[in-house]
Amino acid sequence: MSTWCSIMRGWFMAVAGGVYAFGGFAQTEDIKKESQLDALTYVTFNIGGGAPSAFGFHQPFDLQRAGNYLKSLNADFVALQEVDRFVGRNGNPKRDTAAELAKMAGFPHVLYGKAMPLRGGEYGIALLAKMKPETWRVIPLPGEGEPRVFIDARFRLADGHTVSVCATHLGFPSAVRQSQVRAIIAYYQENPVDGILLAGDLNAETGSPELKILKKVFTLVTPEPGQMTWLGGGKAIDHFLVWACRSGSWKVLSETRRLPYTTQKPLSDHMPVLLRVRWIPAS
């Protein structure tokens, strides 16, 4: 039976449900027959550090409620966007937002990606992880306007394969995003890895030119890809993509879903989105 290395073992849960295979499409009633590798849960969430109070979302950011909510999702990774670090705006104190949120939600590892200095602090993205990466880097993206970055965090599997968990927040306008997604693809072509999970606020809808570029090598696995994730614009711009670059494949499980605000007030002007996935080694 293929498993993650022992450092990861405590954080994964087996799932019995539908499964989607890429490339190609397939479903099976019994995923255990195809693989014994436990599932991985990845959440992407723009926490609205720079967003005004609107659409039911009110600043200051409710850190405690957000931490409790993320903890309830039992994710292995969370990609955060619009993350202030010792900034102190919109009624929020000067604090390490990602670190405090990680502590409340039960994530021992915080990988912060500074995009730019802001008001004596920093602004950027973060990746929260329940296991320590083997390596991780913050890579700047091209384009004018607000600086953008992505995080490449790598984890080695028990069978020797290496997976990158990638988090990003793309810019404006579309021409800039197109240059940014080309840069991400080129980076991974120059720094190869067996599989990639890419998540974030891409500021792009499903049929956009930038997603079409990504889909030349990645597979879009956003649940209900046409359904709104950004309350401010009524658009679906928060996405997941997977790429099995050299060997093996990804299988996306049926628990993958948007997390609309149905039983609570919005935590941000974006909805969280959850991916549940399994890496299948090549036979």
Side-chain angles (χ1 to χ4, degrees), residues 51-65:
S53 297
F55 321 109
F57 163 56
H58 298 284
Q59 295 278 14
F61 181 62
D62 193 337
L63 193 74
Q64 184 66 61
R65 188 162 65 92

Side-chain angles (χ1 to χ4, degrees), residues 28-155:
T28 176
E29 295 297 326
D30 184 5
I31 57 177
K32 293 182 180 179
K33 292 180 181 178
E34 293 202 354
S35 173
Q36 295 294 324
L37 188 63
D38 287 344
L40 168 66
T41 302
Y42 191 11
V43 171
T44 183
F45 185 26
N46 184 325
I47 62 174
S53 297
F55 321 109
F57 163 56
H58 298 284
Q59 295 278 14
F61 181 62
D62 193 337
L63 193 74
Q64 184 66 61
R65 188 162 65 92
N68 291 339
Y69 181 61
L70 290 177
K71 187 174 183 178
S72 74
L73 298 176
N74 199 27
D76 301 290
F77 304 103
V78 178
L80 300 174
Q81 302 89 46
E82 293 196 31
V83 184
D84 287 348
R85 192 165 184 255
F86 305 119
V87 173
R89 58 173 169 164
N90 293 327
N92 292 290
K94 289 188 176 182
R95 63 189 175 194
D96 190 336
T97 306
E100 293 192 24
L101 191 57
K103 185 176 181 180
M104 292 176 183
F107 290 86
H109 303 285
V110 182
L111 316 181
Y112 186 77
K114 175 185 174 182
M116 66 179 184
L118 182 64
R119 299 184 184 182
E122 299 174 348
Y123 173 77
I125 62 174
L127 179 67
L128 312 184
K130 285 186 176 172
M131 64 287 295
K132 184 178 180 179
E134 191 169 74
T135 63
W136 70 283
R137 299 175 61 188
V138 178
I139 300 95
L141 287 168
E144 299 178 353
E146 181 182 309
R148 305 285 174 154
V149 300
F150 71 97
I151 296 171
D152 167 23
R154 301 200 173 191
F155 302 86

Side-chain angles (χ1 to χ4, degrees), residues 187-217:
Y187 168 84
Y188 280 110
Q189 289 172 336
E190 295 169 5
N191 300 273
V193 65
D194 294 303
I196 305 166
L197 298 174
L198 188 157
D201 175 356
L202 305 188
N203 278 312
E205 295 186 272
T206 304
S208 65
E210 44 273 39
L211 279 184
K212 289 179 180 179
I213 293 169
L214 281 171
K215 288 192 290 183
K216 291 179 180 179
V217 290

